[in-house]
Amino acid sequence: MAERIYHCPVEVTMEVVGAKWVPVILAHLKENDHLRFAQIRRLVPGITEKMLTQRLRELESIRIVDRTLVSSTPPHVEYRLTAEGRSLTPVLQAMYDWGRQWATTRRLAVAPVLD
């Protein structure tokens, strides 16, 4: 099978962060050192558990997100950005800033979920 040819660097970026919910998941991981699955689920109330699992697995497979099993009582899983994931910080911050400005000028309500 032939390797995909991109015609613009934005295509590459969108392939990594363009799937539904991915930028929101990454933004929350950017703001936190690590998050448990349930914490991410609460921070992104519109996502289903199935979709969150799928997106986290995709991000883990391309090494943007790291998944760690914590052997405490009870055991749990934590997610964090890898070094490559953290390299998306400027992109995510620009999206955040633009969205905040857009919402402000159009008087859109933005009500973050407090964890």
Side-chain angles (χ1 to χ4, degrees), residues 43-62:
L43 290 167
V44 188
I47 195 170
T48 64
E49 287 190 23
K50 179 181 175 184
M51 180 60 68
L52 178 55
T53 299
Q54 180 181 337
R55 294 298 183 232
L56 287 169
R57 285 183 181 158
E58 290 168 358
L59 291 166
E60 183 183 7
S61 75
I62 60 171

Side-chain angles (χ1 to χ4, degrees), residues 75-96:
H76 63 274
V77 174
E78 293 179 345
Y79 295 91
R80 65 178 31 93
L81 293 178
T82 62
E84 286 182 310
R86 286 189 305 276
S87 74
L88 285 165
T89 295
V91 174
L92 297 166
Q93 190 63 49
M95 292 172 74
Y96 178 91

Side-chain angles (χ1 to χ4, degrees), residues 13-88:
T13 305
M14 291 306 295
E15 187 165 294
V16 174
V17 301
K20 186 169 184 176
W21 300 114
V22 167
V24 177
I25 294 166
L26 293 175
H28 287 297
L29 287 171
K30 177 181 86 62
E31 294 299 316
N32 298 276
D33 179 47
H34 61 273
L35 289 171
R36 293 182 183 190
F37 182 90
Q39 290 173 306
I40 300 170
R41 179 76 173 85
R42 280 192 300 276
L43 290 167
V44 188
I47 195 170
T48 64
E49 287 190 23
K50 179 181 175 184
M51 180 60 68
L52 178 55
T53 299
Q54 180 181 337
R55 294 298 183 232
L56 287 169
R57 285 183 181 158
E58 290 168 358
L59 291 166
E60 183 183 7
S61 75
I62 60 171
R63 298 186 177 126
I64 297 296
V65 168
D66 184 44
R67 177 183 186 272
T68 304
L69 179 60
V70 178
S71 57
S72 61
T73 304
H76 63 274
V77 174
E78 293 179 345
Y79 295 91
R80 65 178 31 93
L81 293 178
T82 62
E84 286 182 310
R86 286 189 305 276
S87 74
L88 285 165

